[in-house]
């Protein structure tokens, strides 16, 4: 696969947008699967007793691709047979709770290439940035860096 | 002066990450990558078996800090994923407060019970 065929969204271009309501069924499996085992992520009564207005979404419990259409990968140039997420950062500007209406948009924030010194393989990097909003407030800004080996340089 | 602990209490998973937990996590996040659910697909890529989502490690790192300072006081995290989390591993997360940063920051590491490095992270928190 040549690089020119691998993506269509350049830096600043929209990869996708989404809108959804956070469901309790999206939260408890994260708590359980990762062994967080904290009742604030399962029981609204416990969450409220801890001072939260509802069940909070655990850090890391939302990711941009959950609500994007399947074509985002080709626009971004992500191929699950070859691409790996290398970094993920989240700027947490507000809490997100079960029942919140969340909107978001994902853009290409950065593209660059490097040659891996160990074997000369050219690596393509793409950083996708997603803003999550609840109402008119930005609740989270997430950046995920994917790396894809392209070919021998 | 900071009332934050210099060292985080170690977060440890109460058991190993198995295929059921990987599937639940992947389903909750609607992750379309078969790497997290299919041993066959993982082996086609030369891996010994399915791999947990990096987001699972991110969740553990975030929680290791959030359970100490309160989630509302976690301002951000940067996680560099260093290695795959294969099935049947337990995970631990350690962290320590570092000096010289504008905001209180914990440097964290996530490792398996076989001492495989999964992630290095910086987690910024609100000054108490």
């Amino acid at each position: 696969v040549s690089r020119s065929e691998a993506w269509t969204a350049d830096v600043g271009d929209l990869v996708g947008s989404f809108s959804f309501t956070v469901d309790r069924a999206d939260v408890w499996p994260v708590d359980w699967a990762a062994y967080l085992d904290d009742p604030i992520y399962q029981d609204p009564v416990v969450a409220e007793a801890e001072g939260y207005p509802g069940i909070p979404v655990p850090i890391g419990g939302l990711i941009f691709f959950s609500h994007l259409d399947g074509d985002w990968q080709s626009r971004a140039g992500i191929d699950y047979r070859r691409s790996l997420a290398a970094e993920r950062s989240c700027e947490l500007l507000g809490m997100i709770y079960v029942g919140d209406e969340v909107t978001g948009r994902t853009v290409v924030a950065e593209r660059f290439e490097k040659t891996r010194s160990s074997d000369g393989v050219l690596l393509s990097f793409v950083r996708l940035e997603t803003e999550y909003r609840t109402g008119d407030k930005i609740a989270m800004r997430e950046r995920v860096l994917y790396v894809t080996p392209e070919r021998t340089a | 002066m900071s009332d934050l602990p210099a060292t985080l209490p170690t977060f440890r998973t109460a058991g190993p990450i198995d295929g059921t937990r990987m599937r639940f996590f992947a389903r909750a996040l609607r992750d379309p990558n078969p790497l997290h659910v299919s041993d066959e697909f993982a082996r086609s890529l030369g891996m010994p078996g399915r791999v947990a989502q990096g987001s699972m490690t991110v969740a553990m790192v975030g929680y290791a800090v959030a359970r100490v300072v309160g989630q509302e006081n976690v301002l951000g995290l940067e996680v560099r994923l260093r290695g795959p989390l294969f099935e049947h591993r337990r995970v631990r997360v350690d962290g320590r407060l570092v000096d010289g940063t504008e905001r209180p920051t914990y440097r964290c590491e996530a490792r398996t019970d076989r001492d495989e490095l999964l992630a290095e992270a910086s987690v910024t928190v609100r000054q108490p």
Side-chain angles (χ1 to χ4, degrees):
Chain A
V1 178
S2 73
R3 282 170 287 156
S4 60
E5 292 166 342
W7 52 266
T8 56
D10 208 340
V11 173
D13 290 346
L14 185 69
V15 171
S17 58
F18 53 81
S19 175
F20 66 98
T21 302
V22 180
D23 193 279
R24 202 167 165 179
D26 297 330
V27 173
W28 73 259
V30 171
D31 170 72
W32 177 79
Y35 284 103
L36 309 185
D37 296 333
D38 192 325
I40 67 166
Y41 301 125
Q42 306 211 14
D43 187 337
V45 175
V46 174
E48 285 167 22
E50 293 291 322
Y52 300 109
I55 295 175
V57 176
I59 295 168
L62 294 179
I63 192 159
F64 72 96
F65 55 63
S66 298
H67 300 275
L68 290 182
D69 67 66
D71 197 37
W72 73 268
Q73 295 163 54
S74 59
R75 290 193 290 276
I78 306 296
D79 176 350
Y80 283 139
R81 294 198 67 84
R82 299 182 299 133
S83 306
L84 285 173
E87 292 178 9
R88 184 174 173 203
S89 67
C90 299
E91 200 178 334
L92 303 167
L93 305 166
M95 299 278 285
I96 300 175
Y97 297 96
V98 167
D100 281 351
E101 303 276 345
V102 178
T103 59
R105 59 195 312 275
T106 301
V107 301
V108 176
E110 187 179 18
R111 286 191 183 276
F112 59 94
E113 296 176 341
K114 284 183 182 175
T115 300
R116 191 161 57 197
S117 57
S118 60
D119 56 9
V121 168
L122 183 69
L123 303 175
S124 285
F125 293 80
V126 58
R127 194 183 307 274
L128 303 178
E129 181 173 305
T130 304
E131 273 189 0
Y132 297 74
R133 289 177 178 265
T134 52
D136 58 354
K137 294 179 182 170
I138 300 173
M140 179 167 75
R141 199 171 281 123
E142 172 190 67
R143 298 176 189 90
V144 182
L145 179 67
Y146 286 93
V147 55
T148 304
E150 296 290 352
R151 57 177 168 72
T152 303
Chain B
M1 288 293 291
S2 170
D3 295 317
L4 296 167
T7 304
L8 294 174
T10 300
F11 168 83
R12 295 176 197 276
T13 59
I17 302 299
D18 59 15
T20 302
R21 287 177 189 269
M22 290 183 185
R23 276 197 302 278
F24 266 71
F25 199 95
R27 194 177 300 160
L29 269 64
R30 298 172 178 81
D31 192 326
N33 190 343
L35 181 64
H36 307 307
V37 293
S38 168
D39 282 328
E40 187 181 355
F41 181 81
R43 289 185 187 122
S44 77
L45 301 181
M47 296 189 182
R50 62 191 124 183
V51 176
Q53 280 190 313
S55 294
M56 185 183 280
T57 304
V58 172
M60 292 175 189
V61 170
Y63 185 67
V65 180
R67 69 179 179 152
V68 175
V69 306
Q71 186 172 328
E72 67 280 12
N73 293 315
V74 178
L75 300 176
L77 74 168
E78 293 182 17
V79 181
R80 292 162 294 285
L81 298 166
R82 298 302 195 201
L85 171 54
F86 294 114
E87 213 173 346
H88 308 307
R89 268 69 162 178
R90 294 169 185 255
V91 179
R92 72 169 198 270
V93 180
D94 294 292
R96 62 182 176 80
L97 199 59
V98 295
D99 296 325
T101 52
E102 187 180 345
R103 287 175 165 160
T105 301
Y106 284 97
R107 292 274 157 74
C108 301
E109 270 191 5
R111 290 182 178 270
T112 69
D113 53 354
R114 303 179 194 188
D115 207 33
E116 298 153 322
L117 179 63
L118 299 174
E120 296 170 308
S122 297
V123 183
T124 306
V125 303
R126 198 183 311 278
Q127 185 75 47

